[in-house]
Structures are given as C-alpha cells and as structure tokens.
C-alpha cells in the first residue's frame, strides 16, 4: 500500500500528530497495556480512527462508538482550538487534536463556510498536510486532568488544622449552609458566616471611608483567562456581593510591561498592549526575555509563524535573554544575545542612545505633529515628538505641554517649532515640527518660559548614561550593542522589539514603555512588517442581547471604594488628608499605592491582610487561582495569616485540585475541568479577530446536589446569592434587549445568554446543517441551551459551537499598514503620566521613561540593602515549554518533563566550586531559600542562574499526602519534584511588616535580576 492511501485509510488519525505523545491517550496503566497480537495488522494497536474515508466515493463516515466535538484548550492560557473525540461508552476523551478552523491550530484556517464534514475530510489524504491542525504536547496531555487520580470531585471540609491536609467529605448542602450561616464549624469556636460578614452599613476600615463597606472583608482571587466563567465570577463579587477585593494574576504575570508598552500611544489606565512582529513581512525582530515559540503566545501558532517567516521573508531575529532557549539554538536563523537578568531597560536605553547618536530614527514619521499631516504623508499615526513641554520648575504647569493659549494664540493646541519657517506654531497647522528644541520663549504676558521638545527630553535621558555604562549594566559589549541598534534600524519599519512577561524586573514598567518608544522611533507601530497588535475577540459581557454586566440593585466598582491593596489615588485617602490637616507632609505614605496599574493585585491584597493594613479580611474565596504559589516572594507572614483561623475566619477553595492555596482553605467546592465547561475565549497569538469556543465534551465528574445538578463554581455562587437574596440572581435577574427579564438559576441560564451575546457580535456566521451539528458535537452542546434562547440566538450560538469559535479573516493590510487600526498620536512624552505622584517620594512621575537602576519602594538602591559580595549572582526564571503552573496534574506532562534544574554558566559554577549534579540551595537576601539540582553549561549568561517555573509542587496537586475521611492518600512524588522558585524570592526591606518586592512605578511584583547566592548542600 502506498503512503498516500495509507494516510487516507487512517483518516485524521495520521494527519494531526502534533507530537508523539498525542498518540498515547490512555488514562490508566491497565489501559496502557499493549494487546498482543496487535488489534490490526495495519494500524497495530493505534486507536481506531475518528472517521474513515472511502477511497472510491470519497465519502467519510464516523467510527461507531465515538463522537467528535470542538472545544478550546486550557493546557495553558493561550486558548487554542481543539478537536476532541470521545468514547461514547466510557465518556472518556480518546484523543485531542487541532481545530482546522482555528488559526492557532492551523496557520491557514478553513473558511467558516466549509461544512464540518468537509473540513474533517480535508484533514486527510493529499490535503491533509496543508490543512494540518495541531495542538502542542501540553495541550494534548491536558485531557489527563479530567480523570486525574487526585482530582477533587466531592465537597471537602477540613478535618484537622487548616493546612494540615486532613479532610472529610460532606454533602454539598451542608457546606453551603455552614459557609453562609457560620457557627462552631470546626470545634474551634464560632466562625462568622457570609451572612454576618456582608455588612454594607459598616466601614471596612473604620474612620477610612475610602476603603468602602465591610462587604470588602470578603477577599477573593480568581482565574481571569476564562471569559464566560470569570465574567460570571466577577459579576457576583463586584456587582452582587459588593467587594472591591477581587484579585487575579496580572500583577505578578507581566501587567507592568503591557501597561508600560501602551504608554507609547495611550494615557495610563487606558489599556495594556501586547506586541507581536507582523510575521508575514517582518525582516528583523528583537525578542526580549523570551524567544519565539518558547513562551508567551500559543506555541502552535508561534512555531509555524517563525518557520514561515524565516523561509519566506528571511527573518533575522535575536533573543536577548539570560538563558539560551530552544528556538535560537535550533538553527532557525536566530541568535542568542545573553544579557544579565533584570537589565532589559539599560539594554533598550543603549539602543536608543545609539539611534539618537547616529540619527537612525525615522525623522519624517516623528516630525509629523498632527493627524492631517499624517494623512498627507501617507502615515497612519502622528507623534508628539516635536510638541513643546514646559521645563521651568517655577511654572505652574511645569512638565505639561505648552499650549497655544499660553502664548496668547487662539487655540489650546500644543505648540511646535515649524520645520519650514523655524517659528513657533500651532501643532495642528504644520506639516513637520522641529524634532530637537531647547529654547526659551516669551509667553502671552511677556514672561520667559523654558521649553523643550518631547524628543529632546527623551534624547537627553538616553544620553545621560554612557554607552560603556549601559554595556556594563547589561553584560553586552558596546560593539554588540552597536550592531544590534544598526540591525534594528536597517529594515525601515519592518522591524520591531517585543517582550514577553518573562522580564518582570523592578523597572518592568519602564522596560515595556521603552519597547513602545523604540518602535515609535522607527515608525514600526502597526506598520507592514512592524509591531502588530492584533484584533482581539468578542467578549460576551460586552454584547447587548442580554445585560449581563448590569445588576439591578447591585454595585458599580466606584461604589465599592478602594481595594485593600490600595489601588487608587493616595491623595484621596484619609491618611493623606489627616497628615495635611495636621500640617505634616503627606509623603511618604505608610504603604505603597498602586495608581498607574490598578490590576487587582492578589498578592498585595493578601499582604495587606497579613499586615492588617488597612484591615484584615474575614473571608477568603479562591477560584482556580494559586496566588501563594504564583506570586513571587509572598512572605511566610502571609501564609501564616491565611492559615490561622483567628486571623482569617473562613476560607473556601473552588477548584478541581487542591493547590498550594486551596489546600489552606476550610472547604473545597469541586469545580468543572476545562473539558467540562462552555467556553468562548481570547486566543493569545492569533492574528485574526476571533475566539475559540467549546462546550462540555464529557459529563462533569463532580458530585451532584440534591436536585441532581453537578456542583461547580457557578452552582455554588448562585446558591449563595439565593440564600442571601443578593441582587442579580434568581427570578428575572437579567434584562434582555427586547425588554424581557430572564432568570439566573442555573449554570446553563448564564452560559446560554453569554454565548448568545458573544455569537450575536459575529458577522457572517455560517448556516448550520444537521450534519454540521452532528459532526461538530454542537447538537449535544446545544441541548441544555436551546430552550433559553430565541430562534435567532440559537442559530448564532449553534454556528459558533459548530466551528469551535469564530475566526474572521479580515484583509491584513491597508497600504503600508495593518488594516483595521485607527491613526493615533504616538506619545514620546506622555503628559498624563505626570498627573500621578509617587506615594513615597511625593514627586510626580516623569512623562518619559527614565533609567534608574533598581531601587526599593522608598527609593533606596538595592545595593544599599543587599550585599553584592554576599549575594553575587543574579536570578532569573523562565516559563517551561511544557509546564504551566497547573499542568503537573496532566500525567503525561509530568512524565516527559519530570523535573527542572538550577541552570548556571559552567565558568561561573567553577568560580564558586560547583558542578553539574550538585544539590544546591538558592538563598535570597531576605533569607528565604529553595533547593534544587545544578546543571551547568554555556547556555546561561555568566554571573547568573535561571530556573524554570511550574515545578516543586510539594503542597498541591497530589504532590503531598492527604487524608480524606480517615484514609491516607499517598503523595505522588513525581508531582513534587523540582524547584519552586517563588518562595525564595526576596521581599522589600524598606517596607514594614509583610511585603512584596514591587516594580517601583506600578506596584506589580518584581522577581528578575534580584541578587542571590547558591551554596552546595552537603
Ligand atoms: S499552546 Fe497552550 S492552549 Fe495552545 S495547545 Fe498548547 S497548551 Fe493548549
């Protein structure tokens, strides 16, 4: 038999083998036993294919006993599409592969109009390679989570001390009653229940009304990456219950960089940006703190995009990273440029300095001072590079733009020097402004005003530090820096610098801001081949069929006050006003305030709780989040404050697994796994507008309530809301666009409306046939939703579920720019940033990124507190290609990625008398430590260590022993292997009480570049 026919016979089974592991989808050891003799002489013991193609007629038929369906992957947060096949008899997933309609799985996704059966057929035979739709190894292994031997499916109540690992199973209704009503629940005295805790008429922090009501005594952390479910969760917490303390991972997962990058074009609080190269036309790219395909966006799409770009447009790229990762080492045309950890900002400043010195910037682009001039010149954006800023400290508007009205001119527009006339002019009226201005002008009253153009201010900052100092800071030679700056600017706009969340240093905000600035200097934003910001997705809560985010009688965020993590303006606080009233300087504030990045910092909320500043929480909910594992440097005081029932009365974990955080809770409410839930989520790494969607492909494994409904997060919160009569739940809880009121009693009530909102935002959805419904699994998926939707909504939701999402292929370019983007004013100087005042120093934030080596919240340099002699190495971490923070529960992931190592340069190791295989201890200046095994080679920058995250689960996911109903359940030692780095990371010695080390500007958590020592364990 020839190969083509062989593939055709096997159907998709042979066409979608993303990784070898994809072929071994067996849950238990017994099932893994290989039958002898083989089941088939051709396919041996491979699974029967999901369908067969008749070689003569071309007709395809499904394999009896199997069903196929679309879902979205949650092996990591990239949310690629999935095609799933399930054994009807056992209700078990047999195997996963990619969704051929989804860009993340298939670089050339099929048009949504292609019928599902036809789409499946195109996965076979000659067309199979072109239409190949893959998942990565981690995504394929994620099925293991459904029937994982340590999954929690029953309701648990602690049977010993909190965190002791002893549990009893209890009926769901008992847990509900106890959590809501409280009582002497553990034989340790009275515990306040939720009913008692939600006191809307009392202040959370008496005497400090800015912190809102005592309903804020409920703190919660949650998973923010699952749109339908996280929108449900936050609706309950913010709008119905009324707490402002809703924490998520962003602040310890790179928010500062995305917020900083956005400042290249928007004001603070107006969004976060995430850049990608325009892979189709990019000629040069700098990847900071990562390399393409290793972390960040979907590994599926990045691998393909990189491969195509290096072949089709001869992309050159560099990975500026403390660690050599797989892509630049695998002959992909990339180059590894080792950099000292946490020194990305001086690297970017060095490039900027060289660009200014050599005039390698795009002068015409930068000089375009208004939108009309941009249009005339064929530009998408204009910039404020030539706009003049008042630089006179005695001027009441020091640091703000000079306005025409300041000079007695008619408008309030910014002022520039006209390049043509050399005279001052209204920025809106000239074609080109002068880029470098340092002058003194007379204002309307005849008073002298010192001014500088935005670009002059930026240039002065870049030139303030010498190239040799930048080289010293980064560990990259001056010659190499020059070569990179030249390469970066030698491709016109077809070049960009981008970063991942990997470079979370104490000035990560400035790092992000500088990447935006460098892309502005060469005119790369939204340019063909430049820095791309793709199209996003439709979020159901934003749709208008049902008013999902409005709660009649509920709360707006503004009404809830400031969070315990002080994410707001210090100047509005009682502390500030009291100090002022006493004639004292209000600065420094007692504790950090996060003004530029109010992102729901879960770690800082818990730090506030540990310090009882401004108050302690009385209840803690944790849904699918693991803050104590994920947030670097969370101090032992925080852990103790979560463990001690006297400091925290009640805690509830809602999850599939006991993780490091939920294992500290009083109750565990079992939750749905990723393959048991409805989904409509953003895809990280997709260039098309769209989302991946899915429906439960197997029945939930969780226990049922008395009414026969599976217990899950939504069931639990709906029941709590009904018991407490919270607004927004129950009868007539949601308003429809046509004026009807609909109920919110069940999970399906929410999912139906959410998916309707999402689907009705989509254009040109396909007509769905009965055959589509059957082949895609949409028939089964729609059953619980049908009677909750109108006919129009039903058709739209079915269309979305029948294709596993919505993928809109808009035309890619409009002229020299990416299509679908409005022109903006790119900001060299961001005036709005200067409205914010640092709560310690009392100084306004500068309007440009500035280079100031690492310092603590009080402004002291790290060197003042951390001895370089005692802690001579710099620390960095990275994301494993295989592991995610929770993928240890995917059995096969743990099998083929069993442990991590402490990587160190071989010469550095020799200096310290260390060698590969040594058991070592990493200790930070705060005294915290973690242990691991050393590996040495040349793939780590000298003077540093690098350790992967996602390992060392000694207190979660079954890596530790637990006792349930008196029965000892042994630890699975493979899950506890490796090094968990976060507990070792240092705190801020200039803060009092429990503290985190923060990005100076935003208050997000910092971890990279900190000083550590590595010692051999005897
Ligand atoms: S990149 Fe993430 S979402 Fe995509 S297939 Fe892999 S694990 Fe799943």
């Amino acid at each position: 038999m020839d190969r083509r026919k062989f593939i055709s016979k096997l159907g998709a089974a042979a066409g979608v083998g993303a990784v070898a592991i994809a072929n071994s989808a067996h849950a238990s050891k017994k099932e893994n036993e290989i039958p002898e003799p083989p089941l088939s002489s051709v396919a041996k013991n491979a699974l029967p294919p999901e369908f067969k193609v008749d070689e003569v007629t071309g007709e395809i038929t499904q394999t009896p006993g199997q069903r196929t369906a679309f879902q979205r992957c949650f092996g990591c947060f990239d949310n690629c599409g999935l095609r799933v096949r399930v054994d009807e008899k056992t209700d078990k997933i047999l195997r996963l592969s990619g969704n051929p309609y989804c860009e993340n799985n298939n670089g050339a996704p099929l048009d949504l109009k292609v019928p599902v059966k036809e789409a499946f057929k195109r996965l076979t035979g000659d067309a199979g390679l072109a239409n190949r739709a893959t998942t990565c190894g981690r995504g394929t292994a994620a099925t293991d989570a459904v029937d994982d031997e340590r999954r929690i499916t029953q309701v648990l109540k602690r049977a010993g001390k909190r965190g002791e690992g002893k549990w009893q199973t209890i009926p769901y209704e008992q847990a509900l009653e106890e959590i809501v009503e409280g009582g002497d629940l553990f034989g340790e005295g009275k515990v306040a229940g939720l009913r008692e805790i939600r006191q809307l008429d009392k202040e959370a922090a008496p005497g400090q009304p800015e912190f809102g009501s005592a309903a804020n005594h409920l703190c919660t952390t949650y998973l923010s990456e699952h749109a339908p479910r996280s929108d449900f969760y936050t609706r309950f917490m913010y709008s119905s219950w009324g707490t402002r303390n809703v924490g998520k991972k962003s602040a310890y997962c790179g928010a500062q960089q995305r917020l900083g990058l956005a400042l290249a074009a928007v004001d603070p609080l107006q969004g976060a940006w995430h850049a990608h190269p325009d892979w189709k036309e990019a000629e040069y790219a700098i990847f900071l703190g990562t390399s393409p395909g290793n972390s960040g966006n979907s590994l599926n799409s990045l691998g393909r995009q990189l491969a195509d770009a290096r072949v089709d447009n001869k992309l050159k790229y560099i990975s500026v990273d403390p660690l050599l990762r797989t892509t630049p080492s695998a002959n992909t045309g990339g180059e590894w440029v080792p950099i000292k950890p946490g020194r990305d900002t001086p690297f970017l400043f060095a490039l900027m300095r060289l660009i200014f010195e050599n005039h390698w910037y795009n002068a015409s682009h930068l000089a375009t001072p208004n939108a009309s001039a941009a249009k005339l010149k064929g530009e998408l954006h204009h910039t404020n590079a030539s706009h003049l800023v008042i630089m006179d400290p005695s001027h009441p508007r020091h640091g703000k733009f000079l306005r025409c009205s300041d000079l007695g001119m008619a408008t309030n527009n910014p002022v520039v020097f006209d390049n043509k006339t050399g005279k001052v002019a209204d920025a809106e009226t000239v074609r080109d402004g002068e880029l470098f201005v340092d002058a003194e002008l007379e204002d309307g009253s005849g008073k002298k005003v010192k001014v500088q153009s935005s670009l002059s201010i930026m240039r002065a900052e870049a030139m303030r530090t010498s190239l040799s100092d930048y080289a010293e800071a980064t560990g990259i030679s001056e010659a190499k820096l020059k070569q990179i700056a030249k390469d970066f600017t030698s491709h016109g706009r077809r070049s960009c610098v981008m970063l991942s969340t990997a470079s979370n240093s104490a000035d990560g905000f400035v790092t992000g801001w500088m990447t935006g600035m460098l892309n502005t200097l060469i005119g790369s934003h939204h340019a063909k081949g430049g820095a791309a910001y793709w199209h996003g997705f439709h979020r159901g809560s934003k749709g208008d069929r049902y008013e999902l985010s409005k709660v009649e009688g509920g709360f707006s965020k503004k009404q809830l006050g400031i969070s315990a993590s002080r994410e707001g303006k210090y100047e509005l606080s009682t502390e500030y006003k009291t100090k002022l009233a006493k004639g004292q300087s209000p600065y420094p504030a007692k504790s950090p305030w996060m003004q530029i990045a109010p992102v729901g910092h879960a770690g800082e909320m818990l730090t506030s709780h540990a310090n009882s500043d401004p108050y302690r929480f009385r209840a803690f909910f944790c849904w699918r989040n693991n803050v104590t594992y994920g947030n670097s440097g969370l101090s032992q005081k925080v852990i103790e404050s979560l463990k001690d029932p006297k400091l925290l009365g009640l805690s509830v974990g809602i999850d599939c697994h006991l993780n490091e955080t939920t294992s500290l809770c009083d109750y565990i409410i079992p939750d749905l796994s990723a393959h048991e839930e409805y989904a409509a989520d953003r895809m990280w790494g997709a260039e098309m507008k769209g989302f991946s969607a899915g429906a439960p492909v197997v029945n939930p494994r969780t226990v049922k309530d008395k009414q026969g409904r599976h217990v899950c997060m939504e069931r639990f919160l709906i029941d709590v809301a009904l018991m407490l009569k919270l607004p927004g739940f129950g009868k007539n809880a949601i308003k429809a666009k046509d004026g009807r009121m609909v109920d919110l009693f069940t999970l399906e009530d929410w999912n139906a409306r959410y998916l309707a909102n999402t689907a009705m935002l989509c254009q040109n959805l396909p007509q769905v046939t009965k055959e589509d419904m059957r082949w895609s699994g949409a028939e089964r998926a729609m059953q619980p939703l049908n009677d909750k939707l109108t006919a129009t909504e039903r058709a739209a939701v079915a269309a979305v579920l029948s294709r596993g999402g919505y993928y809109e292929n808009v035309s890619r370019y409009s002229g020299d720019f990416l299509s679908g983007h409005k022109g903006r004013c790119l900001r060299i100087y961001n005036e709005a940033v200067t409205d914010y005042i640092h709560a310690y120093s009392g100084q306004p934030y500068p309007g440009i990124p500035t280079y100031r080596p690492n310092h603590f919240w009080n402004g002291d340099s790290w060197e003042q507190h951390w001895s370089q002699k005692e802690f001579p190495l710099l620390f960095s971490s990275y994301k494993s290609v295989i592991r995610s923070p929770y993928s240890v529960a995917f059995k096969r992931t743990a099998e083929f990625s069993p442990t991590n190592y402490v990587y160190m340069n071989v010469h550095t190791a020799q200096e310290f008398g260390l060698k590969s295989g040594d058991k070592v201890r990493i200790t930070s200046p705060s005294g915290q430590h973690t242990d691991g095994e050393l590996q040495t080679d040349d793939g780590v920058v000298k003077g540093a260590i690098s350790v992967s995250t996602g390992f060392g689960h000694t207190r979660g996911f079954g890596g530790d022993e637990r006792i349930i109903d008196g029965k000892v359940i042994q630890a699975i030692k493979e899950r506890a292997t490796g090094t968990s780095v976060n507990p070792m990371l240092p705190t801020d010695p200039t803060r009092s009480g429990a503290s985190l080390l923060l990005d100076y500007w935003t208050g997000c958590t910092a971890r990279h570049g900190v000083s550590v020592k590595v010692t051999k364990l005897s």
Side-chain angles (χ1 to χ4, degrees), residues 878-911:
Y878 67 99
K879 284 183 189 166
S880 151
V881 177
I882 299 298
R883 288 278 183 124
S884 62
Y886 44 85
S887 65
V888 65
F890 312 161
K891 193 167 183 235
R892 286 166 295 172
T893 298
E895 278 172 2
F896 62 75
S897 173
T899 191
N900 63 347
Y901 297 97
V902 178
Y903 286 114
M904 185 186 281
N905 185 284
V906 65
H907 301 288
T908 306
Q910 281 163 4
E911 241 180 79

Short mmCIF file of all heavy atoms in Angstrom, two decimals, residues 878-911:
data_model
loop_
_atom_site.label_atom_id
_atom_site.label_comp_id
_atom_site.label_asym_id
_atom_site.label_seq_id
_atom_site.Cartn_x
_atom_site.Cartn_y
_atom_site.Cartn_z
N TYR A 878 12.13 31.40 34.02
CA TYR A 878 11.54 31.35 32.69
C TYR A 878 10.40 30.34 32.69
O TYR A 878 10.30 29.50 33.59
CB TYR A 878 12.60 30.99 31.63
CG TYR A 878 13.15 29.58 31.76
CD1 TYR A 878 12.67 28.56 30.97
CD2 TYR A 878 14.14 29.28 32.68
CE1 TYR A 878 13.16 27.27 31.08
CE2 TYR A 878 14.64 28.00 32.80
CZ TYR A 878 14.14 26.99 32.00
OH TYR A 878 14.62 25.72 32.14
N LYS A 879 9.55 30.48 31.66
CA LYS A 879 8.44 29.53 31.56
C LYS A 879 8.91 28.31 30.78
O LYS A 879 9.48 28.45 29.70
CB LYS A 879 7.28 30.16 30.79
CG LYS A 879 6.47 31.16 31.57
CD LYS A 879 5.31 31.65 30.71
CE LYS A 879 4.59 32.80 31.36
NZ LYS A 879 3.70 33.51 30.43
N SER A 880 8.61 27.17 31.31
CA SER A 880 8.93 25.93 30.59
C SER A 880 8.01 25.81 29.38
O SER A 880 6.87 26.26 29.41
CB SER A 880 8.70 24.76 31.55
OG SER A 880 8.35 23.61 30.84
N VAL A 881 8.54 25.21 28.31
CA VAL A 881 7.70 25.00 27.13
C VAL A 881 6.58 24.00 27.45
O VAL A 881 5.49 24.06 26.91
CB VAL A 881 8.57 24.46 25.97
CG1 VAL A 881 7.72 24.17 24.74
CG2 VAL A 881 9.65 25.45 25.61
N ILE A 882 6.85 23.10 28.34
CA ILE A 882 5.91 22.02 28.62
C ILE A 882 5.02 22.29 29.81
O ILE A 882 3.84 21.98 29.80
CB ILE A 882 6.70 20.70 28.87
CG1 ILE A 882 7.52 20.34 27.64
CG2 ILE A 882 5.79 19.56 29.25
CD1 ILE A 882 6.69 20.09 26.40
N ARG A 883 5.60 22.89 30.84
CA ARG A 883 4.83 23.05 32.07
C ARG A 883 4.07 24.38 32.09
O ARG A 883 4.54 25.39 31.57
CB ARG A 883 5.79 23.05 33.27
CG ARG A 883 6.39 21.71 33.60
CD ARG A 883 5.44 20.88 34.43
NE ARG A 883 6.05 19.61 34.80
CZ ARG A 883 6.18 19.19 36.06
NH1 ARG A 883 5.78 19.94 37.05
NH2 ARG A 883 6.70 18.02 36.31
N SER A 884 2.90 24.37 32.71
CA SER A 884 2.24 25.60 33.09
C SER A 884 2.05 25.48 34.60
O SER A 884 2.35 24.44 35.17
CB SER A 884 0.90 25.74 32.35
OG SER A 884 0.04 24.68 32.71
N PRO A 885 1.55 26.52 35.27
CA PRO A 885 1.50 26.43 36.73
C PRO A 885 0.67 25.27 37.25
O PRO A 885 0.81 24.87 38.38
CB PRO A 885 0.87 27.77 37.13
CG PRO A 885 1.12 28.68 36.00
CD PRO A 885 1.15 27.83 34.77
N TYR A 886 -0.22 24.72 36.43
CA TYR A 886 -1.10 23.66 36.91
C TYR A 886 -0.94 22.37 36.12
O TYR A 886 -1.60 21.39 36.41
CB TYR A 886 -2.56 24.13 36.88
CG TYR A 886 -2.91 24.84 35.59
CD1 TYR A 886 -3.30 24.15 34.47
CD2 TYR A 886 -2.80 26.23 35.51
CE1 TYR A 886 -3.57 24.82 33.28
CE2 TYR A 886 -3.07 26.90 34.33
CZ TYR A 886 -3.46 26.19 33.22
OH TYR A 886 -3.71 26.83 32.04
N SER A 887 -0.08 22.34 35.09
CA SER A 887 -0.02 21.17 34.23
C SER A 887 0.66 19.97 34.88
O SER A 887 0.74 18.91 34.28
CB SER A 887 0.65 21.50 32.90
OG SER A 887 1.99 21.84 33.12
N VAL A 888 1.12 20.14 36.11
CA VAL A 888 1.66 19.00 36.83
C VAL A 888 0.57 17.93 37.00
O VAL A 888 0.85 16.76 37.16
CB VAL A 888 2.25 19.45 38.19
CG1 VAL A 888 1.16 19.99 39.11
CG2 VAL A 888 3.01 18.32 38.87
N ALA A 889 -0.68 18.36 36.93
CA ALA A 889 -1.79 17.41 37.06
C ALA A 889 -2.08 16.69 35.75
O ALA A 889 -2.96 15.85 35.72
CB ALA A 889 -3.05 18.13 37.55
N PHE A 890 -1.36 17.03 34.67
CA PHE A 890 -1.51 16.27 33.43
C PHE A 890 -0.45 15.16 33.50
O PHE A 890 0.75 15.45 33.38
CB PHE A 890 -1.27 17.12 32.19
CG PHE A 890 -1.99 18.45 32.16
CD1 PHE A 890 -1.56 19.46 31.31
CD2 PHE A 890 -3.10 18.69 32.95
CE1 PHE A 890 -2.20 20.68 31.27
CE2 PHE A 890 -3.75 19.91 32.91
CZ PHE A 890 -3.29 20.91 32.07
N LYS A 891 -0.90 13.97 33.69
CA LYS A 891 0.02 12.87 33.99
C LYS A 891 1.18 12.80 32.99
O LYS A 891 2.35 12.67 33.37
CB LYS A 891 -0.77 11.56 33.97
CG LYS A 891 -0.04 10.40 34.55
CD LYS A 891 -0.98 9.25 34.79
CE LYS A 891 -0.22 8.13 35.46
NZ LYS A 891 -0.33 6.90 34.76
N ARG A 892 0.84 12.91 31.70
CA ARG A 892 1.91 12.75 30.71
C ARG A 892 2.88 13.93 30.70
O ARG A 892 4.04 13.79 30.38
CB ARG A 892 1.30 12.53 29.32
CG ARG A 892 0.72 11.14 29.17
CD ARG A 892 -0.16 11.05 27.96
NE ARG A 892 -1.33 11.88 28.08
CZ ARG A 892 -2.18 12.11 27.10
NH1 ARG A 892 -1.97 11.57 25.92
NH2 ARG A 892 -3.24 12.87 27.29
N THR A 893 2.39 15.10 31.08
CA THR A 893 3.30 16.25 31.16
C THR A 893 4.36 15.98 32.22
O THR A 893 5.54 16.21 32.01
CB THR A 893 2.51 17.53 31.51
OG1 THR A 893 1.60 17.76 30.46
CG2 THR A 893 3.41 18.72 31.67
N ALA A 894 3.90 15.51 33.37
CA ALA A 894 4.85 15.22 34.45
C ALA A 894 5.80 14.10 34.04
O ALA A 894 6.96 14.08 34.43
CB ALA A 894 4.09 14.85 35.72
N GLU A 895 5.31 13.18 33.20
CA GLU A 895 6.18 12.07 32.79
C GLU A 895 7.29 12.53 31.85
O GLU A 895 8.44 12.15 32.00
CB GLU A 895 5.35 10.99 32.09
CG GLU A 895 4.65 10.06 33.06
CD GLU A 895 3.67 9.12 32.37
OE1 GLU A 895 3.55 9.15 31.14
OE2 GLU A 895 3.00 8.37 33.10
N PHE A 896 6.94 13.36 30.87
CA PHE A 896 8.01 13.71 29.92
C PHE A 896 8.70 15.02 30.26
O PHE A 896 9.58 15.48 29.56
CB PHE A 896 7.56 13.64 28.45
CG PHE A 896 6.46 14.55 28.02
CD1 PHE A 896 6.68 15.89 27.83
CD2 PHE A 896 5.19 14.05 27.75
CE1 PHE A 896 5.67 16.73 27.39
CE2 PHE A 896 4.18 14.88 27.32
CZ PHE A 896 4.41 16.22 27.14
N SER A 897 8.29 15.65 31.35
CA SER A 897 9.03 16.80 31.85
C SER A 897 9.13 16.65 33.36
O SER A 897 8.49 17.35 34.12
CB SER A 897 8.25 18.07 31.48
OG SER A 897 8.82 19.19 32.07
N PRO A 898 9.93 15.66 33.81
CA PRO A 898 9.85 15.26 35.21
C PRO A 898 10.39 16.27 36.23
O PRO A 898 9.93 16.31 37.35
CB PRO A 898 10.67 13.97 35.25
CG PRO A 898 11.56 14.02 34.06
CD PRO A 898 10.86 14.82 33.03
N THR A 899 11.36 17.07 35.84
CA THR A 899 11.93 17.98 36.85
C THR A 899 12.55 19.20 36.17
O THR A 899 12.67 19.25 34.94
CB THR A 899 12.98 17.25 37.71
OG1 THR A 899 13.31 18.07 38.83
CG2 THR A 899 14.25 16.94 36.92
N ASN A 900 12.91 20.17 36.97
CA ASN A 900 13.66 21.31 36.43
C ASN A 900 15.02 21.37 37.14
O ASN A 900 15.29 20.59 38.05
CB ASN A 900 12.88 22.62 36.61
CG ASN A 900 12.66 22.98 38.07
OD1 ASN A 900 12.85 22.18 38.97
ND2 ASN A 900 12.20 24.20 38.31
N TYR A 901 15.84 22.29 36.69
CA TYR A 901 17.20 22.40 37.22
C TYR A 901 17.53 23.86 37.51
O TYR A 901 16.89 24.77 36.98
CB TYR A 901 18.22 21.85 36.21
CG TYR A 901 18.02 20.38 35.94
CD1 TYR A 901 17.30 19.96 34.83
CD2 TYR A 901 18.53 19.42 36.81
CE1 TYR A 901 17.09 18.61 34.59
CE2 TYR A 901 18.33 18.06 36.58
CZ TYR A 901 17.61 17.66 35.47
OH TYR A 901 17.40 16.33 35.24
N VAL A 902 18.54 24.01 38.33
CA VAL A 902 19.10 25.34 38.54
C VAL A 902 20.22 25.48 37.51
O VAL A 902 21.26 24.83 37.63
CB VAL A 902 19.66 25.49 39.97
CG1 VAL A 902 20.28 26.86 40.16
CG2 VAL A 902 18.57 25.22 41.00
N TYR A 903 19.98 26.28 36.47
CA TYR A 903 20.97 26.41 35.40
C TYR A 903 21.97 27.51 35.74
O TYR A 903 21.59 28.61 36.16
CB TYR A 903 20.29 26.73 34.07
CG TYR A 903 19.60 25.54 33.46
CD1 TYR A 903 18.22 25.52 33.33
CD2 TYR A 903 20.33 24.45 33.01
CE1 TYR A 903 17.58 24.42 32.78
CE2 TYR A 903 19.70 23.34 32.45
CZ TYR A 903 18.32 23.34 32.34
OH TYR A 903 17.70 22.25 31.80
N MET A 904 23.24 27.19 35.52
CA MET A 904 24.30 28.16 35.80
C MET A 904 25.38 28.01 34.73
O MET A 904 25.65 26.89 34.27
CB MET A 904 24.90 27.91 37.19
CG MET A 904 25.93 28.95 37.62
SD MET A 904 26.73 28.49 39.19
CE MET A 904 25.51 28.97 40.39
N ASN A 905 25.98 29.12 34.34
CA ASN A 905 27.08 29.06 33.38
C ASN A 905 28.22 28.22 33.96
O ASN A 905 28.56 28.35 35.14
CB ASN A 905 27.55 30.49 33.08
CG ASN A 905 28.60 30.51 32.01
OD1 ASN A 905 29.75 30.18 32.26
ND2 ASN A 905 28.19 30.89 30.81
N VAL A 906 28.80 27.41 33.12
CA VAL A 906 29.81 26.46 33.60
C VAL A 906 31.01 27.19 34.22
O VAL A 906 31.58 26.73 35.23
CB VAL A 906 30.22 25.49 32.47
CG1 VAL A 906 30.91 26.20 31.31
CG2 VAL A 906 31.08 24.36 33.00
N HIS A 907 31.41 28.34 33.66
CA HIS A 907 32.57 29.07 34.20
C HIS A 907 32.22 29.70 35.55
O HIS A 907 33.03 29.73 36.47
CB HIS A 907 33.03 30.14 33.20
CG HIS A 907 33.41 29.54 31.89
ND1 HIS A 907 34.55 28.80 31.71
CD2 HIS A 907 32.77 29.55 30.68
CE1 HIS A 907 34.61 28.37 30.46
NE2 HIS A 907 33.54 28.83 29.81
N THR A 908 30.98 30.19 35.65
CA THR A 908 30.54 30.75 36.93
C THR A 908 30.53 29.66 37.99
O THR A 908 30.95 29.87 39.14
CB THR A 908 29.13 31.36 36.78
OG1 THR A 908 29.14 32.30 35.71
CG2 THR A 908 28.66 32.04 38.05
N ALA A 909 30.03 28.49 37.59
CA ALA A 909 29.98 27.38 38.55
C ALA A 909 31.38 27.04 39.05
O ALA A 909 31.60 26.84 40.25
CB ALA A 909 29.33 26.17 37.88
N GLN A 910 32.34 27.02 38.12
CA GLN A 910 33.72 26.71 38.52
C GLN A 910 34.24 27.73 39.53
O GLN A 910 34.90 27.40 40.51
CB GLN A 910 34.63 26.66 37.30
CG GLN A 910 34.50 25.37 36.53
CD GLN A 910 35.06 25.44 35.12
OE1 GLN A 910 35.63 26.46 34.71
NE2 GLN A 910 34.89 24.39 34.35
N GLU A 911 33.91 28.99 39.26
CA GLU A 911 34.33 30.07 40.17
C GLU A 911 33.86 29.81 41.60
O GLU A 911 34.53 30.15 42.57
CB GLU A 911 33.64 31.36 39.71
CG GLU A 911 34.55 32.49 39.31
CD GLU A 911 33.70 33.66 38.89
OE1 GLU A 911 33.19 34.37 39.76
OE2 GLU A 911 33.49 33.83 37.67
#
